[in-house]
Amino acid sequence: MKAVILAGGLGTRISEETHLKPKPMIEIGGKPILWHIMKSYSAHGVNDFVICCGYKGYLIKEYFANYFLHMSDVTFDMANNQMQVHERHAEPWRVTLVDTGEDTMTGGRLKRVAPYVQDETAFCFTYGDGVADVDISAQIQFHRTHGKLATVTAVLPPGRYGALQLTGSAVRGFSEKPHGEGGLINGGFFVLSPQVLSLINGDSTPWESTPLQSLASQNQLMAFEHQGFWQPMDTLREKNLLEELWQSGNAPWKVW
C-alpha cells in the first residue's frame, strides 16, 4: 500500500522555522518531522510514499537525494574521486516526490498525484506536520472491512479544531467550532479509495471542504477512533513540545 503525504504548505504559523525550509522539514530530534511520519507508516509495513511538494520543495528532494549521506558512514577518496558508503542505515522506502505547486490547496495537491495512486485498491493519506501513535494496520483493516470509500482517523482535540458529527462510526458532517469539549475531530490520517479523487475539482479545492463533506453526505466516510497520542505541529510551542518529548526518550509516536 502507498502513503501520500502533503508537504507543500507555507506553514505561516511557525514562520520562525519555515522561512528557511518547508514545514515538513522542521526537525524533531535531528530528523525532519516528515521522516518521523514515514517511520510511523513503515512500522506498519507501508514503505511506498508519494510526497506532495510545493513551497521550497527542492529541499525535500535534496534531502532524499542525499539520504545515504544523512544516514550512513561515508568515506570520500578525493584523490580517486570516489565515495564509499559503509554502514547503511537507510529504510526500505520507495519515495516519489511530486511538485504539486506552491499555491495549490490540499485537495488540489492530492488530485495532482492521481497518476501515482489511481491503480491502487486503497491508499493512505496524511499531512506532513503532525505525529501520532495511530495503529495504521488496524485502520487499514477497518477500511477494508467497512467497504466505504474513505476512512478518517477521529481523535480527541487540544480544543481548537472542528468536530466530526458521528452516527456510530459513520461521519455525517462537521462542526467547525464545536460547543463544549469532548468532540472527536479529523486527525488527518486517512485511508482512501482512488474514487474519492473525482470529488476534487482542481487546485483551488481544499480536501477538508467539499470532498470530505460530499463523502459524509453520501455515507461514504467512516471514522476510525484513536484514543492515543496525536499532536499537530502548527506553532513553535508545539514544535518545542515534540522536541521535549523526543529528548525525554518517551516520544509516544515512536512505534518503530
Side-chain angles (χ1 to χ4, degrees):
M1 181 173 283
K2 294 184 177 182
V4 176
I5 304 177
L6 294 176
L10 293 176
T12 54
R13 285 187 287 179
I14 192 169
S15 59
E16 298 92 341
E17 296 263 0
T18 56
H19 71 288
L20 294 174
K21 64 186 72 171
K23 192 177 180 184
M25 293 304 292
I26 295 175
E27 293 184 355
I28 304 297
K31 300 288 194 303
I33 192 169
L34 176 61
W35 177 89
H36 290 264
I37 296 166
M38 294 170 72
K39 287 286 285 185
S40 295
Y41 275 106
S42 188
H44 292 276
V46 179
N47 292 303
D48 195 341
F49 299 96
V50 179
I51 311 297
C52 302
C53 300
Y55 172 70
K56 295 186 182 294
Y58 64 90
L59 291 175
I60 300 176
K61 292 179 181 179
E62 289 174 359
Y63 176 77
F64 285 105
N66 296 313
Y67 195 75
F68 275 132
L69 298 182
H70 292 286
M71 303 300 292
S72 306
D73 297 332
V74 182
T75 295
F76 294 98
D77 185 340
M78 304 299 188
N80 296 302
N81 194 28
Q82 294 178 344
M83 181 184 75
Q84 181 182 1
V85 178
H86 300 289
E87 296 296 326
R88 297 194 176 198
H89 304 294
E91 284 73 23
W93 294 345
R94 174 183 170 87
V95 184
T96 302
L97 301 159
V98 184
D99 183 358
T100 57
E102 286 211 1
D103 301 318
T104 310
M105 301 299 286
T106 50
R109 294 190 191 281
L110 179 56
K111 184 88 166 183
R112 285 210 190 188
V113 301
Y116 301 97
V117 297
Q118 61 189 5
D119 294 329
E120 301 293 312
T121 302
F123 62 93
C124 298
F125 175 53
T126 195
Y127 303 94
D129 62 354
V131 289
D133 58 352
V134 175
D135 188 339
I136 301 296
S137 298
Q139 184 190 27
I140 292 171
Q141 182 57 38
F142 173 75
H143 178 82
R144 288 171 173 163
T145 300
H146 65 60
K148 305 291 186 179
L149 294 181
T151 298
V152 57
T153 297
V155 301
L156 291 170
R160 55 187 174 83
Y161 297 88
L164 301 177
Q165 299 167 2
L166 300 178
T167 301
S169 292
V171 181
R172 301 303 184 189
F174 300 83
S175 175
E176 289 303 318
K177 295 181 180 179
H179 302 288
E181 297 297 323
L184 294 172
I185 68 164
N186 167 12
F189 289 82
F190 298 88
V191 182
L192 305 173
S193 163
Q195 292 172 256
V196 305
L197 301 177
S198 64
L199 300 172
I200 304 170
N201 290 327
D203 284 358
S204 61
T205 304
W207 166 249
E208 302 78 15
S209 61
T210 302
L212 276 186
Q213 293 283 3
S214 297
L215 287 166
S217 65
Q218 296 169 18
N219 193 28
Q220 288 295 326
L221 180 61
M222 301 294 284
F224 176 79
E225 292 194 22
H226 172 61
Q227 300 291 333
F229 179 83
W230 176 84
Q231 180 61 57
M233 188 186 66
D234 288 329
T235 65
L236 186 60
R237 182 189 66 80
E238 290 171 336
K239 186 264 185 188
N240 291 336
L241 168 64
L242 293 175
E243 183 68 34
E244 289 170 7
L245 288 170
W246 183 263
Q247 295 301 334
S248 74
N250 295 306
W253 70 90
K254 188 179 184 299
V255 296
W256 58 89

